[in-house]
Amino acid sequence: MNELIDKYLKKGFGSMNKNDFEVAIFNELLNAGWTTKSNRTISLELRIPETKVKRLRYEAELKYGQNTEEIFKKSLEEVLAKAQFKADGKKLVFIVENQMLRGYLDGKLKDKGLFSDRSFNSEIVSVNAKDFIGVLNDLFIDKDIIKKAKNKTLFEALKTIGKGVIDYSLTALLSVI
């Protein structure tokens, strides 16, 4: 809390604009354990629109976050471990609520000349399964990333896409997909 007051007083009392003040307060809430709460839950608790929560979260992470490669990787691992994956043709569909993390994943796809589709809902990521597994392989440098994910919905979605492949090794899945 003292850090928040220091930030507010840094440029002189009352000189911080309302948005910057709200972002600083929101960052304190995130630091107090709100990072695991959904945007919807925060919206209800603060009695503000969900779109404002999304904006505040993004700005707080942009201004105050430690946006390093390792933190993004760890956050992505955590999200993917809990995500509910669905198969849609040859695509994996799942939700990533955090805008910074979606941007990170999109950036990694773009680095390989690939992309994801978020045309219907910005939180829903729809990506070719082969492309997604390739990016995961690059990020985590692990040939058995599917086994280590320990996410049953990812297994089931890949099994559907891979037409019943029992061997979840990267090589076997890529050969079928």
Side-chain angles (χ1 to χ4, degrees):
M1 188 63 143
N2 287 337
E3 289 178 36
L4 177 61
I5 293 170
D6 289 341
K7 287 176 194 170
Y8 184 74
L9 295 175
K10 189 173 183 176
K11 294 182 183 177
F13 188 84
S15 63
M16 184 182 267
N17 69 36
K18 180 180 181 252
N19 183 64
D20 290 343
F21 189 63
E22 286 179 348
V23 170
I25 290 172
F26 195 84
N27 184 60
E28 292 298 319
L29 293 172
L30 292 175
N31 290 337
W34 283 32
T35 53
T36 58
K37 291 184 178 191
S38 71
N39 291 339
R40 176 82 176 139
T41 301
I42 294 172
S43 170
L44 293 172
E45 288 185 25
L46 296 180
R47 293 179 281 167
I48 60 175
E50 198 170 340
T51 54
K52 186 170 184 175
V53 172
K54 291 176 186 179
R55 182 186 56 77
L56 287 169
R57 185 185 295 263
Y58 179 73
E59 285 189 46
E61 289 177 359
L62 195 59
K63 287 183 181 180
Y64 303 110
Q66 298 175 347
N67 302 321
T68 65
E69 186 77 16
E70 287 307 310
I71 288 174
F72 279 129
K73 281 183 181 181
K74 185 176 184 300
S75 296
L76 187 59
E77 271 185 280
E78 290 169 2
V79 167
L80 296 178
K82 296 175 187 173
Q84 296 297 307
F85 289 85
K86 292 188 179 357
D88 182 14
K90 295 259 184 208
K91 292 186 176 192
L92 285 172
V93 181
F94 57 100
I95 292 176
V96 178
E97 199 175 49
N98 184 309
Q99 186 177 353
M100 289 287 284
L101 205 49
R102 280 193 320 272
Y104 174 75
L105 182 57
D106 282 345
K108 291 300 177 185
L109 286 163
K110 283 181 190 175
D111 289 348
K112 295 176 68 80
L114 309 169
F115 63 93
S116 67
D117 178 13
R118 291 190 276 126
S119 57
F120 295 110
N121 178 334
S122 65
E123 292 180 356
I124 296 175
V125 177
S126 176
V127 63
N128 177 285
K130 188 174 183 177
D131 297 347
F132 181 70
I133 292 170
V135 167
L136 286 185
N137 190 47
D138 290 350
L139 287 176
F140 303 116
I141 312 164
D142 190 338
K143 297 294 179 199
D144 294 322
I145 190 65
I146 306 308
K147 289 179 184 177
K148 292 200 174 186
K150 295 178 183 165
N151 184 318
K152 291 189 191 287
T153 64
L154 178 57
F155 286 133
E156 292 305 314
L158 289 171
K159 189 174 173 182
T160 300
I161 293 168
K163 302 194 183 14
V165 172
I166 302 302
D167 181 3
Y168 291 109
S169 69
L170 181 62
T171 309
L173 281 167
L174 288 176
S175 68
V176 174
I177 298 172

